[in-house]
Amino acid sequence: MQDIYGFPDIHDVPSVLRDVLAQDKAERAARVLTSEEAAVFANWTRVSAEAETCWLAELSGDDGLLGFEPPALPDSAWILHAMYEDLRHPAIPANADATAGKEDTGDGDDEDETDWAVPPRPHWQRLRWSELAQRVGDPIVEEGSYPDRYQLDSCRTGTSRKPDNILWSNEGSLDWETWHQLIDVLIEYSPDGPDTRCLVHFCRNMFYYHVPTVLTGRLGDARDLYHHPDLMAYSPSNIWPADRTWVTYTDYDLHGTKVAGPTSLIEALLNTPGLEALRLPWKP
């Protein structure tokens, strides 16, 4: 099949990676798409990453290796990636000892993060950052910090492990539930609704061959991007409409997604029940 990434010429790749890249290209070429994957593939067109992200580079003052972080436009909020708690096990108290939270679930549930392409299993219940923060006595996000892996540190056990009964939020990617909710709100606050032309950027650090990728398509089709055979690992680093009135930013190393745009959009995100969003005055 045609790939969307525009792989570099094999001679431009470090020798240690050439065999890996060649195998990856061959596997993509041989892959047979499902009808669902083919439909998603047809809805998106690869465009020049350099041409389409130069304004983001100027706006953020960054090279976009981990995604481009925009300033407030004129407002912004951070959406916290969802985490879940296993209903089959009790909550871990703040003073848990080194053995707490390590029980075997009995069915091979050993993931430690959510999945942007797969909804959580029935026995996992949404656990908001604010609920866990209140439980362990931590701030939701430490002042001066980003929403990263170091937050809610008091829920760690004596060996610095997070409790096994918590499916932690995604690092570097939105989760399935939050992605859908976010796209719904963006559609409502975009000029042409689901027909709004948008662009999505996948940062260079997502792929070992360091090729930044930008696709263009309808905002209404963004919900199904996780069906695309090349996009099952991470949600986009940035999304924005053609008129650039708002921008999302999912840093490769963070557990939250920033949305910059009009105050009306930001207020809508803050008040959407299915999202957990907050303003971080020190990271506007």
Side-chain angles (χ1 to χ4, degrees):
M1 73 178 188
Q2 177 191 8
D3 71 71
I4 62 171
Y5 289 120
F7 290 101
D9 185 272
I10 199 73
H11 299 292
D12 296 331
V13 176
S15 58
V16 69
L17 295 177
R18 288 178 187 172
D19 290 345
V20 178
L21 180 60
Q23 180 180 350
D24 194 6
K25 294 175 73 172
E27 289 175 354
R28 290 173 190 274
R31 179 165 182 167
V32 177
L33 303 184
T34 66
S35 57
E36 193 170 44
E37 289 172 343
V40 174
F41 189 90
N43 289 334
W44 295 92
T45 303
R46 185 173 184 270
V47 293
S48 167
E50 182 178 2
E52 296 294 349
T53 62
C54 60
W55 76 281
L56 281 174
E58 182 177 349
L59 191 67
S60 64
D62 190 62
D63 65 1
L65 177 65
L66 305 179
F68 296 100
E69 180 180 354
L73 293 173
D75 205 349
S76 69
W78 287 84
I79 298 172
L80 305 177
H81 301 169
M83 57 182 158
Y84 299 86
E85 189 169 34
D86 190 343
L87 298 177
R88 300 167 298 174
H89 297 286
I92 303 300
N95 62 350
D97 63 25
T99 61
K102 297 183 182 179
E103 302 94 327
D104 186 2
T105 60
D107 63 356
D109 289 344
D110 57 359
E111 306 103 310
D112 59 1
E113 292 187 357
T114 54
D115 190 327
W116 102 282
V118 180
R121 296 182 180 90
H123 56 263
W124 293 98
Q125 175 175 281
R126 178 76 176 267
L127 175 63
R128 291 181 174 268
W129 289 48
S130 57
E131 296 173 47
L132 186 56
Q134 185 175 29
R135 184 186 300 174
V136 302
D138 286 349
I140 301 173
V141 178
E142 292 277 356
E143 185 171 350
S145 298
Y146 283 101
D148 57 25
R149 70 181 72 178
Y150 304 107
Q151 305 309 311
L152 301 170
D153 190 62
S154 295
C155 76
R156 297 173 187 268
T157 64
T159 56
S160 296
R161 285 170 54 96
K162 295 184 178 73
D164 289 345
N165 71 323
I166 293 178
L167 189 62
W168 201 249
S169 56
N170 258 352
E171 182 177 63
S173 179
L174 283 157
D175 55 275
W176 189 91
E177 179 179 1
T178 305
W179 172 256
H180 281 256
Q181 294 274 355
L182 173 60
I183 295 302
D184 286 345
V185 177
L186 293 177
I187 286 173
E188 185 178 351
Y189 283 83
S190 295
D192 297 315
D195 292 324
T196 299
R197 178 177 173 266
C198 72
L199 297 99
V200 296
H201 165 240
F202 294 85
C203 72
R204 291 187 286 129
N205 209 45
M206 285 185 179
F207 314 106
Y208 55 76
Y209 32 81
H210 273 217
V211 177
T213 298
V214 175
L215 307 177
T216 182
R218 294 174 63 255
L219 183 57
D221 292 325
R223 293 188 191 92
D224 295 326
L225 271 173
Y226 59 83
H227 287 306
H228 194 292
D230 288 338
L231 307 178
M232 292 179 175
Y234 294 93
S235 64
S237 307
N238 301 98
I239 319 171
W240 66 96
D243 66 4
R244 303 176 180 176
T245 52
W246 51 258
V247 184
T248 75
Y249 162 67
T250 305
D251 186 285
Y252 185 78
D253 289 333
L254 297 182
H255 291 256
T257 290
K258 183 178 183 178
V259 181
T263 297
S264 57
L265 168 60
I266 303 307
E267 291 288 349
L269 295 171
L270 293 169
N271 293 302
T272 297
L275 297 174
E276 186 173 13
L278 70 167
R279 288 186 174 95
L280 297 181
W282 54 88
K283 299 292 185 186

